Each structure stands twice: as structure tokens, then as C-alpha cells.
Amino acid sequence: MFTPYFLEQVDSTQDFIKTLDPKTPTVVMADSQTAGRGRQGRVWISPMNQGLWMSIAHPNLKNKDFKLTEFMTRVINVIPHQGQLGIKWPNDLYWNNQKIGGILIENIVTSGGEWNWAIAGIGINLNQEKFPDNLPNPISLFQVNGIKSDPVTAAKSLCASLSDFLQTALCNDQQKILEQYQQLLYGRGELCNFSRAGVSFQAIPLGITEQGELLLDRIEKPIQHGELEWKIKTD
Ligand code: BTN
């Protein structure tokens, strides 16, 4: 089980958990963050009690058998949804064409350059009634279903779901998880817009490989994380 830390306010739960230098499974949850971080250096707006802002540290997050696919599937399964919730590869949570959450995995490297530890940051918009205009396509669970959620309850369910999985880092039924992820894959079977190395193109996502790479109809080689930008329809 995780050792929990519940904070009222912190700069970023990612940074706080690193200061703990955890050697056992640890979770840090904050009611608000003043300097929340998203992927690719983006700011993650984290107002008080408006969402699930949490970081977890677990030795098996750096295990070679750790499966981001299963991790994502477990995260999505704790959000009440009826079909329109999906995973925009590799680790964004989408409601139709709008972003409801995301995962940030950060590696901690020792001064000797050795890969030491990994931390997963989870941000899910729960209760926001509106967002700053500069965010491209945000949405909260409240905007979807009209129900306010308690972030602590959501955090506890998520920890319970992730605990077993991280304990073994191996899933009992890889095939089932992969199928679930494929079902949840945002844009699957639809013509989508991408850009790679500055070149824009269209392609149809077909699914992911067992290694979690993205398969596109027009590109033979599976795509690795960070290799392309997936452009979103904003209608
Ligand atoms: C993304 O989609 O870009 C990932 C967003 C991750 C946000 C979470 S909120 C809790 C944790 N602390 C942070 O500073 N970031 C992550």
C-alpha cells in the first residue's frame, strides 16, 4: 500500500514527492498546486478542490515490465463514464475532442547519470465550471455529467486500483488490457491530423502494439512516444 501525504497547497506534487526521496510506495495529493506541470513543459492549472492532483512513486514504475497501457486503463476506469472517454495516445485522457486529464511520467536520474526512480503525476479535471481562455480544449467531469466529485475519494479509489497492479508490475491478462486500451483509443479508425519533424499529414490510428507504440495506417513502422504531434479537432 502507499504511504499517503495530503497537502492543502504545494508548488507541484511532482516536486514535493521528489523531496521525500521515497523508498517505499508513496502518494502525494494536493488540493491545489501553484506550479503544476504538464508534459512538454506546459503549465498545468490546478485550482483548489477542482481536480485530482496527485503524484505517485513506486519502485515498479521503473520496472522494465511496467505497462503504461495498463496504467492508463486503470486510471480511466476510476472516472465514471459512459463511452465517450478515451485515451489520446500515449497518455492524455479525452472526452470526445476535449482534454479531461493527463499523466506525466518523470524519471529521476542520480548525479552519476543512473536511472533511479520514476514518478507518475496524474491530473484529472473534476469540478471546474470554466477554464482560462488560453487553454485549447479543456473539459471537467462536472461539465460532462453535472456532478461535483470529491478529489480525496477519487484519489483513494485510484490508489486502490493501482496498488495491486504496481505491486506485481505484471498484468495477469495482458491481452485483455491491450484490447481495453484499443477500445479506449481516441481517434481509432478515424482520419486524424498529425505532424512529424515539422511535416503535417493525415492518417488513421489503427491501435497500439504490445509495447505501447502507435500504429497508423499510412506508416509501416510503429510510432514511439514523442515521435509525432497529434493535432486535435476543435469544432
Ligand atoms: C499532461 O497531460 O500534460 C500531464 C498533466 C499532469 C498533471 C499532474 S497534476 C499532479 C502532478 N503534479 C504536477 O505538477 N503535474 C502532475
Side-chain angles (χ1 to χ4, degrees):
M1 240 352 220
F2 293 97
T3 305
Y5 291 77
F6 293 99
L7 311 172
E8 194 176 316
Q9 189 171 72
V10 70
D11 46 2
S12 158
T13 54
Q14 294 288 98
D15 295 336
F16 184 87
I17 206 165
K18 288 176 193 168
T19 65
L20 300 173
D21 192 18
K23 301 281 186 282
T24 55
T26 304
V27 55
V28 173
M29 198 210 134
D31 295 336
S32 71
Q33 298 183 115
T34 53
R37 278 203 305 282
R39 290 173 63 224
Q40 295 166 335
R42 296 194 190 101
V43 170
W44 187 263
I45 313 259
S46 327
M48 184 66 79
N49 294 326
Q50 300 298 294
L52 174 60
W53 323 129
M54 105 182 192
S55 296
I56 63 172
H58 195 290
N60 277 342
L61 276 170
K62 65 167 190 170
N63 188 305
K64 68 176 173 37
D65 295 318
F66 169 70
K67 291 268 187 284
L68 182 62
T69 41
E70 176 164 5
F71 189 84
M72 292 300 294
T73 312
R74 292 206 176 230
V75 171
I76 217 164
N77 282 340
V78 299
I79 309 175
H81 64 97
Q82 292 139 1
Q84 291 100 319
L85 198 59
I87 300 169
K88 183 174 150 275
W89 181 87
N91 42 2
D92 282 342
L93 303 173
Y94 262 59
W95 184 272
N96 293 325
N97 290 322
Q98 290 176 277
K99 179 159 170 163
I100 198 163
I103 313 290
L104 172 69
I105 308 266
E106 291 182 320
N107 296 321
I108 302 184
V109 179
T110 60
S111 48
E114 200 182 308
W115 183 24
N116 193 33
W117 196 255
I119 286 166
I122 300 158
I124 302 174
N125 298 323
L126 295 177
N127 297 324
Q128 290 95 328
E129 294 181 17
K130 58 187 173 69
F131 287 91
D133 291 338
N134 60 335
L135 295 180
N137 58 343
I139 194 166
S140 70
L141 190 58
F142 172 76
Q143 289 173 323
V144 167
N145 64 11
I147 300 170
K148 297 266 176 159
S149 311
D150 172 28
V152 175
T153 308
K156 285 182 179 161
S157 323
L158 187 53
C159 285
S161 167
L162 292 176
S163 181
D164 282 355
F165 156 60
L166 286 170
Q167 211 53 45
T168 56
L170 288 170
C171 165
N172 295 328
D173 193 344
Q174 296 289 341
Q175 203 49 43
K176 189 164 152 233
I177 287 292
L178 194 61
E179 273 162 29
Q180 254 190 299
Y181 190 103
Q182 314 279 21
Q183 295 298 328
L184 292 165
L185 182 64
Y186 169 87
R188 187 173 178 222
E190 294 168 20
L191 195 61
C192 295
N193 295 307
F194 298 94
S195 88
R196 182 156 72 164
V199 178
S200 297
F201 66 97
Q202 292 190 312
I204 299 175
L206 301 175
I208 58 160
T209 65
E210 279 181 25
Q211 286 68 42
E213 303 144 317
L214 181 67
L215 295 166
L216 296 178
D217 67 331
R218 267 151 242 203
I219 299 182
E220 210 174 307
K221 209 167 156 262
I223 313 283
Q224 310 281 328
H225 296 179
E227 221 182 285
L228 51 69
E229 187 194 346
W230 192 322
K231 297 180 171 175
I232 298 308
K233 298 173 251 175
T234 38
D235 21 51

Short mmCIF file of all heavy atoms in Angstrom, two decimals, residues 84-108:
data_model
loop_
_atom_site.label_atom_id
_atom_site.label_comp_id
_atom_site.label_asym_id
_atom_site.label_seq_id
_atom_site.Cartn_x
_atom_site.Cartn_y
_atom_site.Cartn_z
N GLN A 84 -17.81 7.95 -23.94
CA GLN A 84 -17.07 8.96 -24.72
C GLN A 84 -15.68 9.25 -24.18
O GLN A 84 -14.97 10.08 -24.70
CB GLN A 84 -17.83 10.30 -24.77
CG GLN A 84 -19.08 10.25 -25.57
CD GLN A 84 -20.28 10.12 -24.61
OE1 GLN A 84 -20.24 9.39 -23.64
NE2 GLN A 84 -21.33 10.84 -24.91
N LEU A 85 -15.31 8.61 -23.11
CA LEU A 85 -14.00 8.85 -22.53
C LEU A 85 -12.96 7.98 -23.23
O LEU A 85 -13.22 6.79 -23.45
CB LEU A 85 -14.07 8.50 -21.04
CG LEU A 85 -12.99 9.04 -20.14
CD1 LEU A 85 -12.93 10.56 -20.15
CD2 LEU A 85 -13.25 8.58 -18.71
N GLY A 86 -11.85 8.58 -23.60
CA GLY A 86 -10.85 7.79 -24.30
C GLY A 86 -9.44 8.20 -23.94
O GLY A 86 -9.22 9.18 -23.23
N ILE A 87 -8.48 7.43 -24.45
CA ILE A 87 -7.07 7.73 -24.21
C ILE A 87 -6.49 8.27 -25.50
O ILE A 87 -6.48 7.57 -26.52
CB ILE A 87 -6.29 6.46 -23.81
CG1 ILE A 87 -6.88 5.86 -22.54
CG2 ILE A 87 -4.81 6.79 -23.63
CD1 ILE A 87 -6.36 4.47 -22.22
N LYS A 88 -6.05 9.51 -25.45
CA LYS A 88 -5.33 10.02 -26.63
C LYS A 88 -3.88 9.60 -26.42
O LYS A 88 -3.23 10.05 -25.49
CB LYS A 88 -5.47 11.53 -26.76
CG LYS A 88 -4.81 12.05 -28.00
CD LYS A 88 -5.09 13.51 -28.18
CE LYS A 88 -3.94 14.18 -28.89
NZ LYS A 88 -2.86 14.59 -27.97
N TRP A 89 -3.44 8.71 -27.29
CA TRP A 89 -2.11 8.13 -27.15
C TRP A 89 -1.04 9.20 -27.02
O TRP A 89 -1.11 10.19 -27.73
CB TRP A 89 -1.85 7.25 -28.39
CG TRP A 89 -0.54 6.57 -28.38
CD1 TRP A 89 -0.22 5.37 -27.84
CD2 TRP A 89 0.66 7.05 -29.00
NE1 TRP A 89 1.09 5.08 -28.06
CE2 TRP A 89 1.66 6.10 -28.77
CE3 TRP A 89 1.01 8.22 -29.72
CZ2 TRP A 89 2.96 6.25 -29.23
CZ3 TRP A 89 2.30 8.38 -30.16
CH2 TRP A 89 3.26 7.39 -29.92
N PRO A 90 -0.06 9.06 -26.15
CA PRO A 90 0.08 7.93 -25.26
C PRO A 90 -0.60 8.11 -23.91
O PRO A 90 -1.03 7.15 -23.32
CB PRO A 90 1.59 7.83 -25.06
CG PRO A 90 2.08 9.23 -25.21
CD PRO A 90 1.15 9.91 -26.19
N ASN A 91 -0.68 9.36 -23.38
CA ASN A 91 -1.20 9.44 -22.01
C ASN A 91 -2.03 10.67 -21.70
O ASN A 91 -1.91 11.26 -20.63
CB ASN A 91 -0.09 9.24 -20.97
CG ASN A 91 1.18 9.95 -21.28
OD1 ASN A 91 1.26 10.65 -22.28
ND2 ASN A 91 2.17 9.79 -20.45
N ASP A 92 -2.92 11.01 -22.63
CA ASP A 92 -3.91 12.05 -22.35
C ASP A 92 -5.28 11.40 -22.19
O ASP A 92 -5.58 10.42 -22.89
CB ASP A 92 -4.02 13.02 -23.53
CG ASP A 92 -2.89 14.02 -23.56
OD1 ASP A 92 -2.23 14.19 -22.52
OD2 ASP A 92 -2.69 14.62 -24.62
N LEU A 93 -6.09 11.96 -21.31
CA LEU A 93 -7.46 11.45 -21.14
C LEU A 93 -8.39 12.44 -21.84
O LEU A 93 -8.36 13.64 -21.55
CB LEU A 93 -7.80 11.37 -19.66
CG LEU A 93 -6.86 10.51 -18.82
CD1 LEU A 93 -7.18 10.63 -17.34
CD2 LEU A 93 -6.97 9.05 -19.26
N TYR A 94 -9.19 11.93 -22.74
CA TYR A 94 -10.05 12.79 -23.54
C TYR A 94 -11.52 12.44 -23.38
O TYR A 94 -11.88 11.26 -23.25
CB TYR A 94 -9.68 12.66 -25.03
CG TYR A 94 -8.78 13.77 -25.49
CD1 TYR A 94 -7.54 13.96 -24.89
CD2 TYR A 94 -9.17 14.63 -26.50
CE1 TYR A 94 -6.72 15.00 -25.29
CE2 TYR A 94 -8.35 15.66 -26.92
CZ TYR A 94 -7.13 15.85 -26.31
OH TYR A 94 -6.32 16.88 -26.71
N TRP A 95 -12.34 13.48 -23.41
CA TRP A 95 -13.79 13.32 -23.52
C TRP A 95 -14.14 13.85 -24.90
O TRP A 95 -14.02 15.04 -25.15
CB TRP A 95 -14.51 14.12 -22.44
CG TRP A 95 -15.98 13.89 -22.50
CD1 TRP A 95 -16.89 14.58 -23.25
CD2 TRP A 95 -16.71 12.87 -21.83
NE1 TRP A 95 -18.13 14.05 -23.09
CE2 TRP A 95 -18.06 13.00 -22.22
CE3 TRP A 95 -16.37 11.86 -20.94
CZ2 TRP A 95 -19.06 12.16 -21.74
CZ3 TRP A 95 -17.37 11.02 -20.47
CH2 TRP A 95 -18.69 11.18 -20.87
N ASN A 96 -14.55 13.01 -25.78
CA ASN A 96 -14.68 13.38 -27.20
C ASN A 96 -13.40 14.09 -27.63
O ASN A 96 -12.34 13.52 -27.52
CB ASN A 96 -15.94 14.20 -27.43
CG ASN A 96 -17.18 13.36 -27.21
OD1 ASN A 96 -17.19 12.16 -27.50
ND2 ASN A 96 -18.21 13.94 -26.64
N ASN A 97 -13.51 15.36 -28.06
CA ASN A 97 -12.29 16.04 -28.51
C ASN A 97 -11.73 16.98 -27.46
O ASN A 97 -10.97 17.90 -27.77
CB ASN A 97 -12.58 16.83 -29.80
CG ASN A 97 -12.79 15.89 -30.96
OD1 ASN A 97 -12.13 14.86 -31.07
ND2 ASN A 97 -13.75 16.20 -31.81
N GLN A 98 -12.08 16.78 -26.21
CA GLN A 98 -11.62 17.69 -25.16
C GLN A 98 -10.82 16.96 -24.09
O GLN A 98 -11.14 15.81 -23.74
CB GLN A 98 -12.83 18.41 -24.55
CG GLN A 98 -13.41 19.39 -25.55
CD GLN A 98 -14.67 20.04 -25.01
OE1 GLN A 98 -15.75 19.46 -25.09
NE2 GLN A 98 -14.52 21.20 -24.43
N LYS A 99 -9.84 17.68 -23.59
CA LYS A 99 -8.92 17.03 -22.65
C LYS A 99 -9.45 17.14 -21.22
O LYS A 99 -9.66 18.24 -20.71
CB LYS A 99 -7.54 17.68 -22.76
CG LYS A 99 -6.53 17.09 -21.81
CD LYS A 99 -5.11 17.37 -22.26
CE LYS A 99 -4.13 16.98 -21.17
NZ LYS A 99 -2.77 16.84 -21.64
N ILE A 100 -9.62 15.99 -20.58
CA ILE A 100 -10.14 15.97 -19.21
C ILE A 100 -9.02 15.65 -18.20
O ILE A 100 -9.15 15.92 -17.01
CB ILE A 100 -11.32 14.97 -19.10
CG1 ILE A 100 -12.16 15.22 -17.86
CG2 ILE A 100 -10.87 13.53 -19.19
CD1 ILE A 100 -13.53 14.56 -17.89
N GLY A 101 -7.90 15.14 -18.69
CA GLY A 101 -6.80 14.84 -17.78
C GLY A 101 -5.58 14.36 -18.52
O GLY A 101 -5.59 14.21 -19.75
N GLY A 102 -4.53 14.13 -17.75
CA GLY A 102 -3.30 13.65 -18.37
C GLY A 102 -2.36 13.06 -17.33
O GLY A 102 -2.54 13.26 -16.13
N ILE A 103 -1.40 12.34 -17.83
CA ILE A 103 -0.40 11.69 -16.96
C ILE A 103 0.98 12.20 -17.36
O ILE A 103 1.28 12.31 -18.56
CB ILE A 103 -0.40 10.15 -17.18
CG1 ILE A 103 -1.80 9.56 -17.17
CG2 ILE A 103 0.52 9.45 -16.17
CD1 ILE A 103 -2.49 9.56 -15.86
N LEU A 104 1.77 12.47 -16.36
CA LEU A 104 3.14 12.93 -16.60
C LEU A 104 4.08 11.95 -15.90
O LEU A 104 4.03 11.82 -14.68
CB LEU A 104 3.30 14.33 -16.00
CG LEU A 104 4.68 14.94 -15.96
CD1 LEU A 104 5.16 15.28 -17.37
CD2 LEU A 104 4.68 16.22 -15.12
N ILE A 105 4.88 11.24 -16.69
CA ILE A 105 5.85 10.32 -16.07
C ILE A 105 7.21 11.00 -16.11
O ILE A 105 7.65 11.43 -17.18
CB ILE A 105 5.93 8.98 -16.84
CG1 ILE A 105 4.55 8.36 -17.06
CG2 ILE A 105 6.92 8.02 -16.16
CD1 ILE A 105 4.07 7.36 -16.05
N GLU A 106 7.83 11.11 -14.97
CA GLU A 106 9.16 11.72 -14.92
C GLU A 106 10.14 10.74 -14.32
O GLU A 106 9.84 10.09 -13.32
CB GLU A 106 9.13 13.00 -14.09
CG GLU A 106 8.33 14.11 -14.76
CD GLU A 106 8.35 15.40 -13.96
OE1 GLU A 106 8.26 15.37 -12.72
OE2 GLU A 106 8.46 16.45 -14.59
N ASN A 107 11.29 10.68 -14.91
CA ASN A 107 12.34 9.82 -14.38
C ASN A 107 13.28 10.65 -13.52
O ASN A 107 13.55 11.79 -13.83
CB ASN A 107 13.15 9.19 -15.52
CG ASN A 107 12.29 8.28 -16.34
OD1 ASN A 107 11.45 7.56 -15.81
ND2 ASN A 107 12.45 8.33 -17.65
N ILE A 108 13.76 10.03 -12.48
CA ILE A 108 14.74 10.73 -11.65
C ILE A 108 16.07 10.05 -11.87
O ILE A 108 16.18 8.83 -11.75
CB ILE A 108 14.34 10.64 -10.17
CG1 ILE A 108 12.96 11.25 -10.03
CG2 ILE A 108 15.34 11.34 -9.30
CD1 ILE A 108 12.50 11.31 -8.62
#
